[in-house]
Amino acid sequence: MEDPVCFGRQDRNGVHVKKLLAIAAAVAGILLYRKAQESEARKTVWSQSTDSVE
C-alpha cells in the first residue's frame, strides 16, 4: 500500500508541472502574437514603400 504522504507529494508535483506548462503555453502564445504583429507591421511598411507611384 502506498504511503499517503508520498502520494500527496506526487499530486502536488503534478499540479506544479501543470501550472508551469500553463504558464509556458501562455508565454509562448504572447510571444507568437507579438511576432505576428511585428511581421504584419513590417509587411505593411514594405507594401507602402514599394507601392507604385501614381
Side-chain angles (χ1 to χ4, degrees):
M1 194 160 176
E2 291 184 24
D3 185 15
V5 174
C6 288
F7 182 72
R9 284 186 187 153
Q10 287 175 350
D11 188 35
R12 276 187 279 152
N13 286 338
V15 170
H16 290 303
V17 170
K18 287 180 183 178
K19 285 182 181 178
L20 286 174
L21 287 174
I23 291 169
V27 169
I30 291 169
L31 292 175
L32 285 172
Y33 177 76
R34 285 185 176 178
K35 189 69 172 175
Q37 292 292 328
E38 179 184 330
S39 178
E40 189 64 31
R42 285 180 185 242
K43 188 171 129 182
T44 301
V45 169
W46 182 255
S47 296
Q48 291 172 350
S49 299
T50 58
D51 207 8
S52 61
V53 178
E54 293 180 22

